[in-house]
Amino acid sequence: MENKRSSFGSNFGFLMAAIGSAVGLGNIWGFPYKMGKCGGFVFLIVYLLLAVFVGMIIMCSELAVGRKTKLSPIDAYNQVSKKFAWIGWLATIAPFFIMSFYTVLGGYCLQYIALNMTKLSFGNEAVAMSGGEVFGAMLTTPLGCVVFTTLFIVICMIIVQGGVSGGIERFNKVGMPALAVMLLIIIVRSLTLPNAVEGLKFMFVPGYAVKGGFIESSPNLVSVLGTAGGQMFFSLSLAMGAILTYGSYLSKEENLVKNSVIIVFSDTLIALMAGIAVIPAAVANGIAQGTPVGQIKLGGPNLLFVTLQDVFTNMGKIGPLFGVIFYVLVLIAAISSAISLMETIAAHWIDKDLAKGETDTRKRNVLIVSLLILIEAVVVAADGLGSNFSPASLLGISAPPVFLDCFLDFMDCWSEGIAMPLGAMLMALMIGWERSPELVLDEVAHGDPSEGFKNFYRVCVKFVVPIVMAFVLAGQMIDFFGGSPAIWYVVSAICLAAFWAFAASGKKQAG
Ligand code: PHE
C-alpha cells in the first residue's frame, strides 16, 4: 500500500504546498483586521510569542505524526493513541465546516476580480458604487454568490483531482512565488500614498492605536490572547488535519524541525506583509477622504471588501489595475488553502480504498467530497453574511450571540472556535502525557535536532501548549457565545483538568 500512496515530488514542493495551506484569507483578511481590533502592536507581540511557543510545537508534532503513520488524520490518530483516537474525527470534520464558508469567501474574491476588471476596461464610472454599496448588493444577490462559490469549488476540485504532486504541488510552486510578487507590488503602492506612515505607526509603535484614537482603550490581555491564539492556529492551518495530511506525503529524508521553522516564519512574514499592504492604504485613504484618523475603520471584517475597494476606486484610473492584482492574490491564497482542506477530507477515503487494494479512486472521492461541500456552502452563500437570513432569524431569536449571527459565524464557531483549540490541547496532552514527547522527537530525529530543541519541545508540549490552549479556548467561547467571561474560564479550566487527568491516568504506552 505504501508505494501506491501519493507523495510530494520534492521538499521545495512540499514547502510551497504547506506555506500555501498556511497563507490564506487568515493572513490577508483576518490578520490585519484582528490587529486593528486588538490594538495593533500588543496583538503583534502576543501573536509572535504564540507562534514560537505554541505554533512551532504543534506544527512539528503534526508533521511528525503524519509522516510516522503515513496516514490521513482519522487513521493516524487511531494508530498513535488509544485514548484520543477521536481527535482524528475532529481534525476531519473541522476542515469540512471551514470549507462551508471558505469557498464562499473565495467566490467573493472572484466577484471582486470581475468588478475590478470591468472598471479597468470601462472606467471607474462603469460601476459607480461605493465599496459598501457593492458589498451590500453582492450579499443580497444570493444567486450570484452561489454561482461564484460553485465556480471556486470546481477550481479547487480540479486541482485536488490532479493529485498531490501533479495538482497541489504544481499549483503552489507557481502560485506562492506569484503571490509574493503581487503582494510586494501592492505594498509599494500602499506605502507611497500620502500619510501612509500613520498606518505603519499604528502597527509598529507601542500604544499608538490608543493614542491615535483608533480604539478607545487597550483590550484586556486574555481577550488579545484568545483572538491572537485563534488567529495563529487558523493562519498556520494547525489542528485541522491539513498539516498532518501534508506531512504524511513527505519523504523520511526531510528535516521536520527546519521545515516547521520555515513554514511558521513564512506564514508570519506574509501576514505582516499583508498588514503593511492593507493598513497603511486604508489609513491613507481615510485621511484623504477627510475622515479623522481615529475614526478610520480598521477593526471590521469589512476591511477587505469595503474599505479596500474604496482605496482602489479612489486611486483613479489606474486603481482598478491594483484592484485586480490584489484580489487575484487573495484568490490564489484562498485556493492554496482550500485545496489543503479538501485534500484532508478526501485523503481519508482515498486511504481506505488503497487499503482495500483499490487504486485510482482519487477523482471519484474528490468529486463526492466537493459535492458535499457544495451543499453546505450553498446555505452560507445564500444567507449573505446574515443579510438574507441567519440561524438566529430562523430560530426567531433577536439580539443573538455572535455564533448565531450568520451561517459563516455558526460554522466558524464549531471549527475555529471549538474544534481547533480543543484539538490542539488534546494533541499536546496525548503526546506529552498519554504517549511521550519522544514519539515526535524520534520521528523528527531524522533531521537530528539539538538537545536544546528537544528540551524546549518537551516543556512546551507537556505544559505550555495545554495551558495556553485553555486560555485560547476560553477567549474563543467568550467571543462566540458571549455571557459572563468567568463561566467560560471555568468551563475551559475544567476541560483542561479533566483531559489532563485522563491523558496521564493508567499505564503509559511505550513511545
Ligand atoms: N491557514 C488558512 C488561512 O490562513 C486557513 C486554513 C485553516 C487552511 C486550516 C487549512 C487548514 O486562511
Side-chain angles (χ1 to χ4, degrees):
M1 168 188 150
E2 284 229 344
N3 310 339
K4 292 191 214 104
R5 202 165 183 272
S6 316
S7 61
F8 285 108
S10 66
N11 195 49
F12 176 74
F14 159 77
L15 281 174
M16 288 301 107
I19 294 171
S21 169
V23 170
L25 294 165
N27 302 60
I28 296 165
W29 186 19
F31 186 84
Y33 102 70
K34 287 180 187 167
M35 190 161 174
K37 195 174 91 179
C38 288
F41 192 73
V42 190
F43 176 86
L44 183 61
I45 297 299
V46 174
Y47 185 94
L48 292 178
L49 287 174
L50 285 172
V52 174
F53 288 96
V54 181
M56 256 292 296
I57 300 298
I58 298 287
M59 177 70 68
C60 232
S61 311
E62 278 203 40
L63 288 177
V65 171
R67 191 173 70 176
K68 185 182 170 71
T69 57
K70 292 218 164 296
L71 291 168
S72 45
I74 295 179
D75 295 319
Y77 280 101
N78 244 328
Q79 199 178 90
V80 295
S81 173
K82 287 209 169 64
K83 293 177 182 167
F84 292 103
W86 45 280
I87 308 179
W89 283 97
L90 277 185
T92 305
I93 291 169
F96 181 67
F97 284 171
I98 290 197
M99 280 299 265
S100 74
F101 60 85
Y102 216 82
T103 54
V104 175
L105 297 170
Y108 293 170
C109 292
L110 286 167
Q111 297 201 56
Y112 272 74
I113 294 170
L115 169 77
N116 282 284
M117 297 247 261
T118 311
K119 286 175 165 242
L120 190 61
S121 317
F122 305 104
N124 263 317
E125 321 69 56
V127 187
M129 289 198 266
S130 69
E133 287 163 346
V134 169
F135 195 46
M138 186 181 79
L139 294 182
T140 46
T141 314
L143 185 63
C145 292
V146 170
V147 169
F148 282 95
T149 300
T150 310
L151 185 58
F152 183 84
I153 294 177
V154 171
I155 296 173
C156 295
M157 181 184 83
I158 292 172
I159 297 172
V160 179
Q161 283 184 331
V164 175
S165 69
I168 296 175
E169 183 172 349
R170 228 163 84 193
F171 175 82
N172 282 298
K173 266 160 80 175
V174 179
M176 283 305 108
L179 179 144
V181 172
M182 288 190 263
L183 194 51
L184 281 174
I185 297 175
I186 301 292
I187 287 180
V188 170
R189 176 67 281 218
S190 163
L191 291 184
T192 47
L193 292 170
N195 291 319
V197 71
E198 288 299 311
L200 284 181
K201 285 194 208 157
F202 169 83
M203 289 179 74
F204 298 111
V205 177
Y208 194 79
V210 181
K211 236 181 7 221
F214 287 98
I215 53 173
E216 277 172 20
S217 58
S218 306
N220 88 16
L221 202 61
V222 174
S223 117
V224 177
L225 199 65
T227 310
Q231 169 63 23
M232 192 263 305
F233 266 79
F234 189 78
S235 181
L236 286 175
S237 304
L238 293 175
M240 289 283 179
I243 293 293
L244 191 154
T245 306
Y246 276 8
S248 75
Y249 300 135
L250 185 62
S251 126
K252 288 279 182 204
E253 316 301 310
E254 309 303 343
N255 183 331
L256 295 187
V257 181
K258 201 161 117 202
N259 278 350
S260 303
V261 173
I262 296 175
I263 300 166
V264 173
F265 178 80
S266 311
D267 181 71
T268 311
L269 182 69
I270 299 273
L272 270 176
M273 284 169 68
I276 296 175
V278 167
I279 291 180
V283 172
N285 181 61
I287 295 175
Q289 301 305 307
T291 316
V293 176
Q295 283 166 31
I296 298 164
K297 274 203 60 112
L298 294 174
N302 282 357
L303 186 59
L304 192 66
F305 296 113
V306 175
T307 315
L308 274 181
Q309 182 53 48
D310 282 336
V311 172
F312 297 126
T313 304
N314 292 335
M315 278 178 191
K317 237 176 142 48
I318 192 77
L321 178 62
F322 288 103
V324 173
I325 296 176
F326 181 75
Y327 291 107
V328 168
L329 98 81
V330 183
L331 179 69
I332 295 177
I335 293 176
S336 64
S337 297
I339 54 181
S340 73
L341 291 161
M342 200 179 248
E343 175 68 25
T344 303
I345 309 164
H348 175 67
W349 283 278
I350 298 174
D351 277 353
K352 279 261 168 302
D353 288 342
L354 263 183
K356 283 188 278 178
E358 283 181 56
T359 50
D360 294 333
T361 60
R362 169 172 286 271
K363 285 208 163 67
R364 186 189 70 209
N365 281 313
V366 173
L367 174 68
I368 296 171
V369 168
S370 304
L371 287 172
L372 292 175
I373 291 171
L374 180 63
I375 294 172
E376 51 166 7
V378 162
V379 180
V380 178
D383 94 343
L385 298 183
S387 307
N388 308 316
F389 58 90
S390 68
S393 70
L394 297 180
L395 293 167
I397 299 173
S398 56
V402 172
F403 86 109
L404 295 176
D405 270 350
C406 60
F407 276 93
L408 188 156
D409 284 333
F410 186 71
M411 295 304 219
D412 195 24
C413 170
W414 302 117
S415 48
E416 192 184 350
I418 296 177
M420 201 158 49
L422 200 60
M425 182 201 282
L426 296 177
M427 181 185 209
L429 291 173
M430 172 197 97
I431 293 172
W433 300 91
E434 184 199 7
R435 299 294 307 264
S436 114
E438 310 316 305
L439 171 80
V440 167
L441 291 174
D442 284 348
E443 180 63 30
V444 162
H446 297 281
D448 202 14
S450 65
E451 273 311 307
F453 176 80
K454 287 184 180 175
N455 288 331
F456 173 70
Y457 181 84
R458 290 184 190 115
V459 173
C460 288
V461 83
K462 286 181 97 129
F463 303 101
V464 181
V465 178
I467 294 171
V468 170
M469 287 331 290
F471 279 107
V472 174
L473 185 65
Q476 294 283 52
M477 303 220 254
I478 295 167
D479 274 355
F480 278 110
F481 296 113
S484 147
I487 296 180
W488 297 119
Y489 289 132
V490 174
V491 169
S492 174
I494 292 176
C495 260
L496 176 66
F499 284 124
W500 202 319
F502 178 56
S505 67
K507 220 173 96 238
K508 228 183 172 91
Q509 258 181 276

